[in-house]
Amino acid sequence: RVGTLVQSEEALDLGAAGRAIARIVADLLRLRTCSSPHPTTFPHVRAPFVLTQSLLHMLKHRKGQIVFINSPQAVQPSAPVGFYAASQHALKAIAEVLRQEINEAGVRVLTVYPGRTATPRMKAIYEREGSAYEPEVLLQADDVASMVVHSLKLPRTAEVTAIHIRPMKKSY
């Protein structure tokens, strides 16, 4: 559908960019051949950038909204994931500059920094860390989605630019 939207010039109200969407964009737009200094650059920086640029004219037309799903590593990096944190910081910069460039056109840009969320990806991270995976103490995807939807429903007199949300109980 993204490839169809880009070619058809249809209007678009909401764009969202995150790791899963980056994989879809890579396949749809066949961008895996782009040269990157590190493997994390494509899914975390290049794909959201290309997707957003491809859909921007439609978002401007409808005064739409863009949501970037980032990582707390963008604002609070930690060892041993320095390069990942750097890629997330790059995405943060892209979102902030994009907001400065397109707010005037009525497009709102939101970045979400969810903490550890109960997902298959997080389960794999816990396994890699050798830690017990307790999804019940992590954020739930519905928690994050509820915050995003609430922010997007705000009247046009307000704009939420960032959401930092984390689990109440720290399991790490």
Side-chain angles (χ1 to χ4, degrees):
R1 178 105 170 95
V2 173
T4 304
L5 278 173
V6 171
Q7 292 172 0
S8 73
E9 306 274 332
E10 289 180 36
L12 185 65
D13 292 325
L14 172 67
R19 185 176 172 85
I21 292 171
R23 285 193 296 264
I24 293 167
V25 173
D27 294 337
L28 288 174
L29 301 179
R30 302 184 202 301
L31 295 172
R32 288 226 185 256
T33 57
C34 75
S35 60
S36 297
H38 193 275
T40 63
T41 304
F42 179 80
H44 299 292
V45 182
R46 179 91 174 124
F49 174 78
V50 170
L51 174 62
T52 303
Q53 291 301 311
S54 299
L55 302 177
L56 200 52
H57 64 284
M58 290 179 277
L59 288 159
K60 283 181 179 178
H61 177 73
R62 292 291 294 246
K63 296 185 190 289
Q65 302 182 80
I66 300 169
V67 179
F68 289 97
I69 306 297
N70 204 316
S71 165
Q73 290 289 329
V75 291
Q76 223 171 1
S78 61
V81 292
F83 206 94
Y84 171 76
S87 72
Q88 296 305 288
H89 190 75
L91 181 60
K92 177 182 183 284
I94 288 169
E96 289 178 7
V97 169
L98 180 64
R99 182 180 308 107
Q100 292 170 20
E101 292 174 349
I102 65 171
N103 254 171
E104 222 173 71
V107 178
R108 297 194 292 196
V109 179
L110 167 64
T111 301
V112 182
Y113 303 95
R116 292 194 167 200
T117 306
T119 63
R121 180 173 175 246
M122 190 53 59
K123 183 177 181 183
I125 290 171
Y126 273 81
E127 287 172 2
R128 204 170 43 244
E129 291 174 344
S131 303
Y133 179 66
E134 299 175 76
E136 65 278 0
V137 300
L138 301 178
L139 281 176
Q140 302 302 304
D142 286 348
D143 301 334
V144 178
S146 293
M147 288 297 300
V148 171
V149 168
H150 180 72
S151 299
L152 297 175
K153 286 183 173 181
L154 284 173
R156 286 298 180 147
T157 56
E159 175 184 29
V160 175
T161 59
I163 296 173
H164 296 263
I165 182 171
R166 63 185 190 176
M168 279 297 294
K169 181 179 178 189
K170 308 307 169 280
S171 62
Y172 44 92

